[in-house]
Amino acid sequence: MFEPVELSDIIESETEFIPLISSEDEEAMNEEETPQELPILAIRNTVLFPGVVLPITVGRDKSIKLVQDAYKGDRTIGVVSQKEQTTENPEFADLNNIGTVARIMRLLKMPDGSTTVIIQGKKRFEMLELITEEPYFRARVQEFAEIKPTKAPKKFEALVGSLKDLALQIIKQSPNIPSEAGFAIKNIESHSFLVNFISSNMNAEVSDKQKLLETADLRKRAEMVLQFLTKELQLLELKNDIQSKVKVDIDQQQREYFLHQQMKTIQEELGGNPQDELIAELAQRAKKKKWNEKTAKAFKKELERLERMNPQGADYSVQLNYVELLLELPWNEYSKDKFDLARAQRILDRDHYGLEKVKERIIEHLAVLKLKGDMKSPIICLYGPPGVGKTSLGKSVAEALGRKYARMSLGGLRDEAEIRGHRKTYIGALPGRIIQNLKKTGTSNPLFILDEIDKLGRDSHGDPSSAMLEVLDPEQNSTFYDNYVEMDYDLSKVMFIATANTLNTVHPALRDRMEIIEVNGYTVEEKIEIAKRHLLPKQVKENGLKPIQIKLAKPVLELITEEYTNESGVRGLEKKISKLVRHRAKQIAMQEEFTPNVSKEDVYRILGPSHAKDKYQDNDTAGVVTGLAWTPTGGDILFIETSLTKGKGKLTLTGNLGDVMKESAMIALEYLKSHSDTIGLEQEVFDKWNVHVHVPEGATPKDGPSAGITILTALASAFTQRKVKKFIAMTGEITLRGKVLPVGGIKEKILAAKRADIREIILSTKNEKDIKEINPKYIEGLTFHYVDEMIEVVQKALTDQKVEKALKVA
């Protein structure tokens, strides 16, 4: 609002206080007569108001002459502002018509040679005509009277009060206005002088001040001043807000800079800059790395970039983490393989009972590695039911090879970045889990377990199965590219062992890159051995017992295995043994009496009633045949039930069957129709009876071709009402031509048959090779019938004996 007065120091040095005018002074000035003629002083940067004291520096010759003559005379002059401030030598027409009568209070010669005059406004006047131009303007004038407000005095008082408040706020918030100005505002009694004082000192254009001077109505002039002050206060508040924000930012930067400089000085006194020491340490570590020239060049470039960065910058920590990762990765660092094949065989046999194929493959790999000295590591995939030891086998192989062990669970993995990493420009970016595990193991040739590879998922973040193609391809993984590392990394020396419960969900291209080794389920005998050698000692140790405090004899283990578990693996068996061991721990803790040997009665008492197992059922009903099935958890038996009702030959299939199984039923029925004479039936029989085929446990989905010969036998038995041979089961696919084709999962199915007390099994001739691969002691007591034609199945499975009250179907 207020402009600084440049001559305040001069006035103070003269020790003369220029008082503010009172109401009496104002009345005295108003009573003074306005001269008819006045010398006119043109000013261009401001406007003089009545009652206001104003210092003016005069520089024009005319103006100097005027003030000197007036100062010698009555000191009364007329002060008028120019219409255009840029005009150097104004004509009379360039001046405004309304001006202020002024009295010269002091005439000062300045040290620089200029002349300054201090004047005080008296009252307004209006110029009528020019009298003379030389040596300065003289004009005929008349009084320009002020109009005092006569109506609503309280409203005018409130208006003046608002003017005072606004003016005081502006003085308070503006750093350029001295606090004395507020004192002056508070002590002005005259309303007219208050408006003039504020008008003269407020921060407004000369043209706006001239309009105020030309406004005779005091109320109207006060309202105009109030508008100007309101606008100025708003601009001042906005300006102060901006300045305070900028000041805070600058102060914070200056503070941080100052602190950093102090820290730097202290650190130099203590022995060096930590950043320089860190860079030097990283460079020293880099000299010990075994990386190639390309990697070394890339690292040097990244280290130089880190050195140029501000340690307080947001990207510094990201760059530092990246550089440290490059140093921590085991570039071309390999552990030495152990080629003691006998020792490796002992470790594998010690940790896992059975699994002969897998052990043989590992020993083969070691043998080739020993002879050749260097080879690309194989990609092995162990697939089989849960609980057979696929994952734990990896640890044994790592120990046998003398390699570091890393395990990566792929179950439910949906983000491709988990394999290949994120680009380091992202917030929170990390390398892929392959690189992370290599960093953890510290070697570039660990044994890497890829657990549950069949359970890889995919979503909008990419397809991890496709990302694994590069990892598991011996021809590609020597230049594996991680998005975070941004450099090729050699994975060709890593030995990958993948595990899966089924191969159906594994990506075909991924399956093609792996060497598939099937890990079959265990027989009862194998489970008992595993329980004695591994499960019981493990549980005894984990539950704080001593081996002498609990003993499980072979018959007890056999009881638990047969009556309390029904699985291919041994997880369920381990849980039951754990329950027995915990019960013994409770007895010891409560100081109860016990004998170390656990009896069968103890098993029934602790574990509760045994579960009903799928055992072979009698052959009293025609049309019910036992089949063998494969499931992801191992082998199982299922029953095919067939019933006939009078009708028109309709075939109904129930039991949650898949398309392939339904097709097998249709093929079996069509075969019987076309070979009805062979089994002693008339063709018309099939048109007079409806057939219903059902597979129990309808909540469980069932599919696959292996139940073909079972359905055929069930239909033949139902139509002929001939009994099925006792204790017999079968598995095999059928064709419309009458051929029996081989099926998979034979070992699991055979083990399931033994658990169900089956004695005879019908198979395709081409499955005989699968039987020969099974240890003979596991199939003792089983008789196998190998067939090529479907009619052979009927002949071997059905007896000549018919059920009581045989249905007359012909």
Side-chain angles (χ1 to χ4, degrees):
M1 163 192 165
F2 293 90
E3 298 171 340
V5 179
E6 297 176 0
L7 290 176
S8 58
D9 294 338
I10 298 172
I11 296 170
E12 288 176 7
S13 67
E14 294 288 330
T15 67
E16 180 178 343
F17 176 68
I18 303 173
L20 300 173
I21 64 172
S22 62
S23 299
E24 291 80 7
D25 296 333
E26 184 181 11
E27 288 179 9
M29 283 194 299
N30 290 334
E31 289 175 0
E32 292 181 7
E33 290 187 5
T34 303
Q36 294 182 352
E37 293 183 11
L38 283 173
I40 304 300
L41 176 63
I43 58 177
R44 56 181 175 182
N45 293 325
T46 187
V47 175
L48 178 66
F49 287 85
V52 177
V53 176
L54 194 67
I56 297 174
T57 300
V58 291
R60 300 179 186 133
D61 294 338
K62 282 185 177 183
S63 300
I64 295 172
K65 176 67 173 169
L66 185 150
V67 297
Q68 287 177 347
D69 290 348
Y71 193 66
K72 293 175 183 177
D74 60 2
R75 299 189 180 186
T76 302
I77 60 174
V79 179
V80 180
S81 63
Q82 297 176 187
K83 292 178 181 177
E84 295 292 337
Q85 298 181 39
T86 57
T87 305
E88 287 294 333
N89 295 304
E91 300 293 333
F92 187 73
D94 296 329
L95 304 179
N96 290 304
N97 285 335
I98 306 300
T100 305
V101 179
R103 175 177 175 77
I104 299 176
M105 301 178 67
R106 181 68 59 89
L107 186 66
L108 301 169
K109 288 284 187 180
M110 305 307 293
D112 61 355
S114 62
T115 300
T116 297
V117 60
I118 300 174
I119 58 177
Q120 183 179 27
K122 295 295 184 182
K123 57 197 308 185
R124 292 175 177 79
F125 70 84
E126 181 181 4
M127 293 194 299
L128 300 177
E129 61 178 346
L130 178 66
I131 298 175
T132 181
E133 291 187 6
E134 296 298 336
Y136 38 77
F137 294 129
R138 288 188 71 86
R140 186 174 287 108
V141 300
Q142 68 177 13
E143 184 179 350
F144 187 73
E146 183 178 65
I147 302 172
K148 300 282 186 180
T150 56
K151 297 180 180 179
K154 291 185 177 180
K155 187 176 180 181
F156 182 70
E157 287 284 346
L159 178 62
V160 174
S162 297
L163 279 177
K164 270 192 177 184
D165 292 342
L166 276 177
L168 291 172
Q169 286 185 51
I170 292 172
I171 291 169
K172 186 177 181 181
Q173 293 195 27
S174 177
N176 298 324
I177 302 174
S179 58
E180 289 81 2
F183 177 78
I185 293 284
K186 290 178 182 177
N187 287 279
I188 294 176
E189 299 174 356
S190 168
H191 295 164
S192 176
F193 179 57
L194 177 67
V195 174
N196 289 338
F197 184 78
I198 294 174
S199 300
S200 176
N201 289 285
M202 71 181 182
N203 188 15
E205 298 291 335
V206 174
S207 59
D208 293 330
K209 291 184 177 182
Q210 182 63 32
K211 286 179 184 177
L212 291 171
L213 186 68
E214 293 174 356
T215 303
D217 191 332
L218 180 58
R219 183 191 298 275
K220 189 175 180 181
R221 191 160 74 248
E223 291 173 350
M224 291 172 65
V225 173
L226 187 64
Q227 289 180 2
F228 281 118
L229 291 185
T230 303
K231 181 180 178 182
E232 185 174 349
L233 181 61
Q234 291 174 352
L235 290 173
L236 186 61
E237 288 175 346
L238 182 61
K239 177 182 174 184
N240 288 340
D241 286 344
I242 294 172
Q243 286 180 344
S244 64
K245 289 177 183 176
V246 173
K247 185 175 182 297
V248 168
D249 292 343
I250 292 174
D251 287 351
Q252 183 66 19
Q253 290 177 5
Q254 289 176 340
R255 181 174 178 274
E256 289 178 358
Y257 175 77
F258 179 71
L259 291 174
H260 287 319
Q261 291 300 111
Q262 278 190 325
M263 189 184 299
K264 186 177 180 181
T265 305
I266 293 170
Q267 288 164 351
E268 287 175 355
E269 290 291 330
L270 292 174
N273 189 337
Q275 187 186 3
D276 295 339
E277 291 179 356
L278 176 62
I279 298 296
E281 180 192 344
L282 295 175
Q284 187 64 31
R285 287 169 60 188
K287 293 179 181 178
K288 300 177 183 178
K289 301 301 290 184
K290 299 178 182 178
W291 44 35
N292 55 36
E293 184 179 348
K294 183 179 177 181
T295 308
K297 186 177 179 182
F299 174 80
K300 184 179 179 182
K301 181 180 177 182
E302 296 295 337
L303 187 63
E304 289 173 351
R305 183 182 173 198
L306 177 68
E307 192 173 4
R308 293 192 300 269
M309 295 176 75
N310 181 2
Q312 303 304 316
D315 293 337
Y316 183 82
S317 60
V318 175
Q319 183 67 11
L320 178 60
N321 289 339
Y322 177 64
V323 169
E324 287 185 334
L325 175 72
L326 294 182
L327 284 171
E328 290 170 0
L329 283 176
W331 304 86
N332 298 321
E333 295 178 19
Y334 305 105
S335 59
K336 189 175 181 181
D337 287 331
K338 298 177 180 177
F339 299 120
D340 187 346
L341 302 187
R343 172 181 171 276
Q345 186 71 58
R346 284 196 304 273
I347 292 173
L348 293 175
D349 290 338
R350 178 198 70 193
D351 295 340
H352 290 82
Y353 186 81
L355 305 178
E356 304 302 331
K357 277 189 178 181
V358 184
K359 296 176 184 176
E360 183 182 352
R361 179 65 188 87
I362 300 301
I363 298 300
E364 287 174 358
H365 171 70
L366 278 174
V368 174
L369 201 58
K370 183 177 182 179
L371 295 176
K372 189 180 178 187
D374 182 28
M375 66 174 287
K376 289 184 177 179
S377 291
I379 313 293
I380 295 173
C381 178
L382 306 176
Y383 89 96
V388 295
K390 300 185 298 297
T391 304
S392 62
L393 186 66
K395 286 186 178 180
S396 301
V397 174
E399 185 182 350
L401 289 169
R403 292 193 179 191
K404 294 293 182 68
Y405 170 81
R407 177 182 168 273
M408 177 177 169
S409 178
L410 301 177
L413 195 71
R414 295 177 176 274
D415 192 351
E416 182 184 333
E418 293 285 343
I419 309 295
R420 285 212 177 113
H422 307 81
R423 297 195 181 281
K424 66 175 183 286
T425 52
Y426 294 121
I427 295 173
L430 289 171
R433 289 166 67 178
I434 302 289
I435 294 295
Q436 289 182 38
N437 278 287
L438 288 175
K439 169 187 164 185
K440 192 185 299 182
T441 58
T443 64
S444 290
N445 65 335
L447 188 138
F448 215 116
I449 294 290
L450 300 171
D451 221 358
E452 311 290 356
I453 200 169
D454 56 325
K455 297 175 181 63
L456 276 173
R458 63 178 298 175
D459 63 2
S460 58
H461 295 105
D463 182 5
S465 295
S466 299
M468 290 298 294
L469 295 177
E470 182 185 10
V471 177
L472 299 184
D473 192 335
E475 300 300 323
Q476 296 182 38
N477 62 12
S478 59
T479 56
F480 173 68
Y481 185 85
D482 186 279
N483 291 324
Y484 186 88
V485 177
E486 293 183 337
M487 282 185 276
D488 292 340
Y489 199 94
D490 186 3
L491 299 180
S492 62
K493 302 294 191 299
V494 179
M495 185 173 184
F496 290 101
I497 297 182
T499 70
N501 295 133
T502 175
L503 298 178
N504 297 334
T505 56
V506 179
H507 194 294
L510 195 58
R511 189 166 63 230
D512 185 59
R513 284 164 166 77
M514 299 186 291
E515 182 178 343
I516 307 297
I517 298 178
E518 184 177 0
V519 184
N520 296 308
Y522 298 112
T523 63
V524 174
E525 290 80 5
E526 286 177 322
K527 288 182 180 180
I528 292 171
E529 286 297 320
I530 292 170
K532 285 171 59 179
R533 298 184 185 192
H534 303 289
L535 304 183
L536 182 58
K538 176 184 174 185
Q539 290 301 321
V540 166
K541 182 179 179 181
E542 288 185 356
N543 289 281
L545 270 67
K546 297 177 182 177
I548 60 172
Q549 292 175 321
I550 184 170
K551 295 186 181 298
L552 298 177
K554 184 175 179 180
V556 173
L557 290 173
E558 188 173 354
L559 169 69
I560 299 170
T561 304
E562 290 189 338
E563 296 192 22
Y564 288 91
T565 65
N566 184 24
E567 56 178 352
S568 294
V570 291
R571 282 207 182 106
L573 177 59
E574 184 176 8
K575 291 175 185 176
K576 299 301 179 183
I577 292 174
S578 175
K579 186 170 178 61
L580 294 174
V581 174
R582 289 198 306 273
H583 184 270
R584 178 55 47 86
K586 186 193 79 169
Q587 289 178 319
I588 295 171
M590 298 181 71
Q591 298 181 352
E592 297 177 3
E593 292 186 4
F594 65 89
T595 55
N597 291 311
V598 178
S599 65
K600 291 184 179 182
E601 290 74 18
D602 292 334
V603 172
Y604 288 125
R605 179 171 52 84
I606 297 168
L607 300 184
S610 61
H611 302 296
K613 292 178 58 180
D614 282 338
K615 289 283 187 179
Y616 170 76
Q617 298 178 1
D618 58 56
N619 65 340
D620 294 338
T621 305
V624 179
V625 183
T626 306
L628 300 177
W630 178 92
T631 68
T633 59
D636 204 353
I637 67 169
L638 54 80
F639 301 101
I640 307 292
E641 301 177 348
T642 309
S643 69
L644 303 174
T645 57
K646 288 186 178 181
K648 297 181 179 181
K650 179 183 176 184
L651 175 62
T652 303
L653 302 170
T654 57
N656 203 350
L657 308 183
D659 291 339
V660 177
M661 206 162 178
K662 290 177 181 177
E663 291 167 1
S664 296
M666 289 187 280
I667 293 172
L669 184 59
E670 290 300 319
Y671 177 81
L672 288 177
K673 288 180 181 180
S674 62
H675 295 77
S676 58
D677 56 339
T678 310
I679 58 174
L681 292 174
E682 296 179 3
Q683 187 66 38
E684 292 77 12
V685 168
F686 299 99
D687 299 327
K688 295 178 181 179
W689 293 88
N690 291 335
V691 184
H692 187 154
V693 178
H694 177 69
V695 184
E697 298 185 27
T700 306
K702 309 167 192 73
D703 201 6
S706 61
I709 62 172
T710 314
I711 297 173
L712 171 71
T713 306
L715 289 172
S717 173
F719 276 109
T720 62
Q721 287 294 292
R722 290 162 61 185
K723 286 187 177 183
V724 180
K725 189 182 291 187
K726 282 188 175 183
F727 302 107
I728 194 168
M730 59 197 72
T731 182
E733 182 181 354
I734 58 176
T735 71
L736 205 56
R737 294 179 299 153
K739 298 293 183 182
V740 178
L741 302 181
V743 291
I746 294 299
K747 183 178 180 183
E748 283 82 0
K749 292 176 181 179
I750 300 305
L751 298 181
K754 282 209 72 174
R755 290 197 297 267
D757 294 335
I758 299 294
R759 299 171 190 172
E760 296 182 56
I761 296 174
I762 300 177
L763 298 165
S764 169
T765 304
K766 294 181 179 177
N767 279 126
E768 187 176 359
K769 58 180 176 57
D770 299 304
I771 301 299
K772 291 180 178 179
E773 290 182 359
I774 301 174
N775 193 322
K777 68 178 181 180
Y778 299 153
I779 55 177
E780 289 178 359
L782 287 176
T783 303
F784 296 94
H785 304 282
Y786 302 106
V787 295
D788 290 312
E789 301 291 334
M790 291 161 61
I791 193 65
E792 295 179 56
V793 178
V794 177
Q795 292 170 351
K796 291 182 182 294
L798 299 184
T799 66
D800 294 331
Q801 183 183 2
K802 293 194 176 185
V803 297
E804 295 180 11
K805 299 180 182 180
L807 295 172
K808 296 183 179 180
V809 297

